[in-house]
Amino acid sequence: MKPIPLLKTAVLAAALALSGGMTLAGTYNVSVDRIRIDAGEFKKTGIGYNGSQSPTVLRFKEGEQVTINVKNNLRESTSIHWHGLIVPFRQDGVPGISFNGIKPGTTFTYQFPIKQAGTYWFHSHTGFQEPDGAFGAIVIEPKGGETVRVQRDYVVQLTDKHPHNGSRVFRNLKMSADYYNRAQRTLEDLVRDSREDGFKQALQNRAMWGKMRMMPTDIEDVQGFAPLINGMGTQQNWTGIFKPSEKVRLRLINSSAMTYFDVRIPGLKMTVVQADGNDVKPVAVDELRISVAETYDVILQPREAKAYGIIAESMGRTAMVRGSLSPTQGYAGLVPRMRPQPLLTMADMGGMMDGMDMGGMDMGGMDHSAMTMSSQSSTMPEDMDHSKMDMSGDMEGMDHSKMDMSGDTKAVDHSKMDISGDTKAVDHSKMDMSGDTKAVDHSKMDMSGSAKAVDHSKMDMSRSMKGMDHSKMDMSGGMAGMNHSARDSKIGEFYAPGSGLIPSAANGGKFLSYNDLKAARPLYRDRPATRTIELRLTGNMERYIWSINGVKMDDAAPIRLKYGERVRFKFINETMMSHPMHLHGMWSILDTGKGKWDPIKHTVSIAPGTTVYTETEVDATGQWAFHCHLSYHAEAGMFRKVIVEGGPA
Amino acid sequence: MKMIYLPAVAATLASIIGAPAAAEPIIWGFQAEQLEYRFMDGEDAFVWDFDALAGSDELRFVWRSEGEIGESSGDFEGLENQLRLQMPISTFFDSVVGIQASTPDGAPDRYNAVFGVKGLAPQWFEIDADLYVSDHPFFRFEAEYEALLTNRLILTPSIEMNMPLKDDAARNQAAGGPTFEIGARISYDLIDRAVSPYIGVNYERAFGGTSDMLRAAGEDKDAFSIVVGTRIMF
Ligand SMILES: [Cu+2]
């Protein structure tokens, strides 16, 4: 008799325990409002959540069942998409794909379980409301509490507030794609280039770009914005308070419409512990690039009782914002001078030139195919034989110091890379890291440990390249299989070799690379993908048309996936711009060659001239959006609907 | 004949206007390359040259208007309005079809069908090449180049050639006798690219038979002017 009630109790207890997470339930209210925005440099009307330009932060707990009432106080429809959250597709908040949107004056109630932890964000997926200000942050506490104990925990949400509203920006871009590019090459640049390279060379470079009708300065489509941290500009100086030696967690979120930021805190190392909401093996860096829609959590430990600046420079160096970490309010970190503007090189044109007649260029029969390095060790491979490199044609005595890889890149100097023939262990510190951005220096090419496959096949050598000297090139470290021949090497690099976008830390230190990201805990068992879907990122810069595989959203059939399969996406960036690609509803496992330790992301930036692979376990049925997260690229057509067929409804 | 094409045009229109809510927005805008006052030897003149456009990436409707009003007389020395359809034919070029009405004061009206191409040639030359077809056909070629002195101070040299393909005595135009107009304007982007005031020079000259006909009519074969105006884009 007795065992039965006991069993009953046990069953009841077990049921309670099982539903334990779900008994935690929270209700949240968010209003969508027309607001007045003070961006420091200008004031404008925009859209904000809960009537404020400082982003609303929603704090959830893993395992919680949330109910979010979204009241639309606008005179137009709206929507909220929970960026990076794994939710049932009807809760994903994309009008026309997951639901019908939220009509003016109505309240829509989202309800979903929180099945993850970390830093995320939310934003409107309707029209240009997100560029107009409709975004906020999400912080989810893990079930067992934060794994990294810190004394201070701050959201640092970046944005690029533009004086023009989104629809006007878009219309202007369509009218004239360079409408907002105020960093174009001018007569002044031509004069300077002529002085440095000679008039003929400068003109030739100009002509090369002119032939393509491209600009080496097309890094940021939309300039003229005010970058903000948590809704505040440099003067308004968002400040996070700390006491010396306290550990501080910053949850960096890039909510920009169009702007990649390079973030650093001079005087402090940032230890990256999370990327896109997923914990990664801690990696200490001096600076990192945060693509649009990405998040990075970093831990800092300021020891001195002084104000440290949180510096975010736009990737194209057209704007900068400074916030502060300070022992008290009112102290501001320094505002450094913005670094010089980078220029795209022919390497960034890699994909575009395939189909173009580059008549003026003489490649002189260059064949790197025999150049292979297989050694994982930190010594120069014994069997590396440069003599197999066929350098016939115009290559006269290979000397990298004369190599000109671009229209506007000045003096690519490899000769400073120090290595003598019989050096076994090469010290990277001998590399010249001069701050001169004009000199494209291969030392900035990260060829050390993590570089898995350097693909030189896309390297473009303009006619001026008379010779190459690889003998002086330092190829040390554990370069696992440097492959100069395979165009579609398995992993590829995250920047095209010789790209003008390759970042370097302001203090010469460590700059975070995707290669540094290693999942702290694998979310999925590693298994081979069932198939590969090729997505060429395409566009017409002059007409401001952006597309995938040459087709805009309006004309494209949806991508169909099968529940339970694992697909491999092959992104080939054929444009000259970086595209942060975001898949809704499911994770994107970024292939960095680490197998089950590959980082798990929701947004993956694809740099120009590169091929990047991600894999997705198709574990969410329904209809999902898949798009470039640059607002105006998505609107112009770089967008796909994904339909997952089968699986539980 | 024309009626056959109307349903097709209507369908295209409907597909643009009746597009679903999620579709790309319709693009519209106004772009005046020239809106200027010309100081000349003879009568000063007010001159414009603008496009007003609406449509999509695939099809744009353009109203192009060019005119010249004599300062003292108030007469339209030139007045030309076109309705054009622009469709992409390559990465950088559109094809153009349309109709043109040329109705200046003191000359007979002319109506033409327009066939042309418009786009961006290598080295950033903006090109318009149009064939005007009627009893009085002619060919027009326009090219413009924007040289950035700085990112806001822009020198824009331009050239326009009109080549009559048949004599049109009433308008002093002889087959094979071209008229050239060359100009250079220095503009400054005052408000974004929306308002860019400029100063510059403009020179027109007729050649061949057209020049002879102008001389016979007692008119100058060439005209030089200093221009002050503004470019407008919104
Ligand atoms: Cu994009």
Side-chain angles (χ1 to χ4, degrees):
Chain A
M1 285 284 114
K2 278 215 164 163
I4 293 169
L6 252 178
L7 190 66
K8 260 187 181 169
T9 316
V11 168
L12 209 67
L16 267 172
L18 273 175
S19 63
M22 294 307 160
T23 55
L24 196 64
T27 301
Y28 304 81
N29 297 308
V30 175
S31 66
V32 191
D33 306 294
R34 191 104 231 158
I35 60 165
R36 193 81 189 137
I37 291 175
D38 180 359
E41 295 162 32
F42 55 85
K43 292 183 172 66
K44 65 172 291 193
T45 55
I47 297 174
Y49 291 126
N50 297 321
S52 171
Q53 80 177 68
S54 26
T56 291
V57 182
L58 294 175
R59 293 181 188 276
F60 303 144
K61 286 194 167 65
E62 188 179 1
E64 181 180 356
Q65 178 75 31
V66 297
T67 301
I68 311 164
N69 301 309
V70 179
K71 174 141 204 303
N72 182 6
N73 292 328
L74 306 177
R75 279 194 230 146
E76 56 189 289
S77 257
T78 191
S79 61
I80 290 185
H81 163 61
W82 315 99
H83 186 105
L85 294 202
I86 301 300
V87 297
F89 97 92
R90 291 290 177 200
Q91 305 296 315
D92 192 49
V94 182
I97 293 183
S98 22
F99 77 143
N100 291 325
I102 309 171
K103 299 274 170 301
T106 65
T107 297
F108 183 87
T109 301
Y110 288 90
Q111 271 180 315
F112 49 85
I114 302 294
K115 299 196 233 172
Q116 62 202 106
T119 305
Y120 302 90
W121 62 294
F122 63 100
H123 60 84
S124 170
H125 226 288
T126 300
F128 299 107
Q129 290 176 359
E130 184 228 271
D132 289 343
F135 60 82
I138 297 173
V139 175
I140 308 173
E141 188 191 317
K143 239 177 196 149
E146 294 291 351
T147 44
V148 188
R149 302 261 172 237
V150 295
Q151 285 74 49
R152 309 277 178 174
D153 191 320
Y154 296 111
V155 167
V156 174
Q157 195 159 20
L158 292 156
T159 192
D160 52 352
K161 187 56 55 203
H162 204 278
H164 294 172
N165 68 38
S167 53
R168 181 159 165 218
V169 170
F170 189 67
R171 202 166 59 76
N172 281 335
L173 289 167
K174 282 284 190 186
M175 284 279 286
S176 170
D178 67 349
Y179 193 96
Y180 293 104
N181 189 347
R182 288 295 183 187
Q184 299 185 39
R185 305 297 280 161
T186 64
L187 184 69
E188 204 183 340
D189 297 311
L190 185 66
V191 169
R192 190 171 46 234
D193 294 355
S194 308
R195 225 172 15 230
E196 286 168 19
D197 311 331
F199 183 61
K200 199 177 157 209
Q201 181 64 50
L203 264 192
Q204 270 175 0
N205 288 337
R206 211 39 99 80
M208 197 158 62
W209 288 95
K211 189 166 185 174
M212 299 193 297
R213 288 151 277 191
M214 295 293 161
M215 274 176 286
T217 59
D218 253 324
I219 296 165
E220 286 167 358
D221 279 323
V222 182
Q223 300 165 12
F225 55 87
L228 305 179
I229 291 178
N230 293 336
M232 296 186 208
T234 297
Q235 293 314 311
Q236 297 150 317
N237 188 37
W238 178 84
T239 303
I241 301 294
F242 73 93
K243 288 201 192 96
S245 291
E246 279 183 336
K247 275 195 179 168
V248 182
R249 180 180 192 128
L250 300 184
R251 300 171 183 270
L252 306 173
I253 305 170
N254 188 353
S255 300
S256 296
M258 295 298 284
T259 310
Y260 283 44
F261 282 104
D262 290 348
V263 180
R264 67 185 194 271
I265 302 168
L268 293 180
K269 280 262 180 199
M270 303 183 284
T271 301
V272 179
V273 294
Q274 199 186 84
D276 288 5
N278 291 293
D279 288 348
V280 295
K281 292 266 160 65
V283 51
V285 300
D286 294 281
E287 191 167 347
L288 60 84
R289 173 164 294 171
I290 183 165
S291 309
V292 171
E294 283 185 324
T295 74
Y296 286 102
D297 281 25
V298 299
I299 308 286
L300 330 154
Q301 200 165 13
R303 307 242 172 228
E304 288 176 63
K306 64 165 197 176
Y308 294 87
I310 302 169
I311 311 296
E313 278 177 317
S314 77
M315 178 165 73
R317 308 283 184 255
T318 65
M320 180 171 76
V321 60
R322 184 275 331 264
S324 297
L325 286 174
S326 170
T328 53
Q329 279 296 346
Y331 282 93
L334 295 173
V335 183
R337 255 179 60 170
M338 200 147 52
R339 286 169 285 179
Q341 292 175 348
L343 291 173
L344 298 173
T345 69
M346 283 298 146
D348 298 305
M349 301 296 116
M352 318 194 67
M353 296 197 302
D354 286 350
M356 293 190 82
D357 165 35
M358 297 304 295
M361 319 210 13
D362 188 350
M363 302 290 289
M366 187 171 156
D367 184 1
H368 276 201
S369 61
M371 202 170 145
T372 314
M373 291 193 226
S374 50
S375 175
Q376 284 269 5
S377 73
S378 60
T379 58
M380 285 287 282
E382 299 278 348
D383 60 348
M384 181 173 153
D385 187 356
H386 278 201
S387 67
K388 283 180 193 153
M389 285 169 65
D390 172 18
M391 302 280 182
S392 58
D394 276 3
M395 306 275 170
E396 300 159 8
M398 312 268 289
D399 179 355
H400 267 202
S401 63
K402 283 179 192 151
M403 185 167 154
D404 182 351
M405 294 164 102
S406 73
D408 295 277
T409 307
K410 318 287 185 320
V412 177
D413 189 352
H414 285 209
S415 62
K416 287 181 188 144
M417 292 183 164
D418 175 48
I419 181 165
S420 50
D422 56 354
T423 306
K424 286 280 153 107
V426 181
D427 184 355
H428 270 205
S429 65
K430 285 179 190 159
M431 283 181 169
D432 178 274
M433 293 274 205
S434 69
D436 182 6
T437 54
K438 285 285 163 57
V440 171
D441 181 344
H442 265 209
S443 61
K444 285 173 190 157
M445 275 168 76
D446 185 2
M447 290 196 174
S448 60
S450 55
K452 280 293 197 263
V454 179
D455 185 352
H456 273 201
S457 64
K458 283 183 190 150
M459 243 163 108
D460 195 280
M461 318 290 181
S462 78
R463 53 152 53 139
S464 65
M465 190 185 68
K466 279 283 156 45
M468 284 180 70
D469 187 355
H470 272 199
S471 68
K472 287 178 187 155
M473 205 163 151
D474 176 2
M475 299 197 180
S476 66
M479 279 197 299
M482 175 167 164
N483 187 348
H484 281 227
S485 63
R487 196 189 171 88
D488 294 328
S489 58
K490 183 170 167 278
I491 293 127
E493 265 300 330
F494 295 107
Y495 291 97
S499 163
L501 294 176
I502 299 171
S504 60
N507 65 356
K510 168 75 184 162
F511 201 106
L512 182 74
S513 154
Y514 272 174
N515 280 317
D516 298 323
L517 300 177
K518 192 172 181 187
R521 292 171 302 277
L523 271 193
Y524 300 98
R525 172 174 73 86
D526 192 33
R527 60 163 178 151
T530 38
R531 60 190 172 122
T532 298
I533 296 175
E534 187 172 294
L535 300 168
R536 290 180 296 109
L537 308 180
T538 46
N540 181 331
M541 196 66 199
E542 193 51 34
R543 299 182 189 277
Y544 210 78
I545 294 172
W546 298 98
S547 51
I548 294 172
N549 295 333
V551 184
K552 296 192 295 182
M553 169 69 167
D554 281 5
D555 310 322
I559 296 170
R560 290 178 186 276
L561 306 179
K562 286 193 180 54
Y563 186 89
E565 74 172 335
R566 182 181 175 116
V567 291
R568 185 169 173 83
F569 292 105
K570 178 183 186 183
F571 295 94
I572 307 165
N573 190 346
E574 296 185 354
T575 76
M576 60 196 290
M577 300 205 77
S578 302
H579 305 286
M581 300 303 294
H582 170 50
L583 172 64
H584 290 221
M586 290 161 281
W587 290 110
S588 295
I589 306 164
L590 173 62
D591 191 345
T592 60
K594 298 184 192 76
K596 67 175 182 175
W597 304 105
D598 275 338
I600 302 139
K601 302 189 88 264
H602 48 60
T603 307
V604 174
S605 175
I606 321 290
T610 65
T611 298
V612 172
Y613 296 88
T614 68
E615 291 191 3
T616 290
E617 286 285 353
V618 181
D619 55 4
T621 197
Q623 304 191 136
W624 306 98
F626 191 9
H627 59 97
C628 172
H629 220 284
L630 301 183
S631 298
Y632 306 108
H633 289 194
E635 192 70 20
M638 199 177 264
F639 199 122
R640 282 293 184 275
K641 180 162 143 181
V642 168
I643 298 176
V644 175
E645 292 163 336
Chain B
M1 270 293 281
K2 275 178 193 153
M3 294 307 287
I4 296 168
Y5 296 100
L6 274 177
V9 172
T12 315
L13 260 173
S15 76
I16 292 166
I17 293 160
E24 292 163 44
I26 288 179
I27 302 308
W28 58 271
F30 177 89
Q31 193 163 15
E33 288 295 336
Q34 293 176 9
L35 196 64
E36 66 194 24
Y37 193 82
R38 290 188 181 175
F39 299 92
M40 291 194 254
D41 254 358
E43 191 188 18
D44 290 353
F46 178 71
V47 173
W48 73 84
D49 181 348
F50 70 75
D51 281 4
L53 51 94
S56 66
D57 294 329
E58 288 72 35
L59 183 64
R60 284 189 183 185
F61 296 84
V62 180
W63 168 33
R64 170 169 294 183
S65 182
E66 293 175 44
E68 179 176 344
I69 300 177
E71 195 272 324
S72 48
S73 66
D75 286 348
F76 284 101
E77 310 287 335
L79 179 63
E80 196 183 305
N81 285 286
Q82 300 186 28
L83 289 175
R84 298 155 73 98
L85 292 179
Q86 271 178 229
M87 286 145 291
I89 47 167
S90 75
T91 307
F92 296 104
F93 278 89
D94 284 351
S95 66
V96 175
V97 294
I99 48 167
Q100 178 239 29
S102 178
T103 55
D105 291 328
D109 294 349
R110 297 281 181 253
Y111 298 91
N112 289 280
V114 188
F115 303 94
V117 291
K118 173 184 165 62
L120 192 68
Q123 309 306 338
W124 304 98
F125 288 97
E126 293 212 41
I127 305 288
D128 264 291
D130 298 310
L131 190 62
Y132 292 80
V133 182
S134 67
D135 288 349
H136 306 282
F138 66 100
F139 174 73
R140 177 181 288 166
F141 176 83
E142 293 170 79
E144 197 181 272
Y145 182 79
E146 289 186 5
L148 272 61
L149 305 181
T150 74
N151 262 290
R152 284 185 177 268
L153 192 65
I154 298 168
L155 172 68
T156 310
S158 61
I159 184 164
E160 178 178 333
M161 184 205 69
N162 281 279
M163 172 66 84
L165 301 175
K166 266 191 195 165
D167 287 348
D168 187 352
R171 288 186 152 214
N172 294 326
Q173 287 179 339
T179 309
F180 281 88
E181 181 170 343
I182 58 170
R185 290 165 178 78
I186 289 187
S187 62
Y188 184 79
D189 290 345
L190 198 63
I191 305 169
D192 295 325
R193 291 186 203 276
V195 181
S196 311
Y198 62 78
I199 56 166
V201 291
N202 199 71
Y203 180 70
E204 289 173 72
R205 182 174 167 172
F207 291 87
T210 301
S211 167
D212 298 339
M213 287 168 100
L214 282 169
R215 198 178 309 125
E219 288 182 39
D220 292 335
K221 66 173 186 192
D222 65 353
F224 174 81
S225 52
I226 303 277
V227 303
V228 177
T230 185
R231 297 205 291 183
I232 289 178
M233 170 152 72
F234 62 79

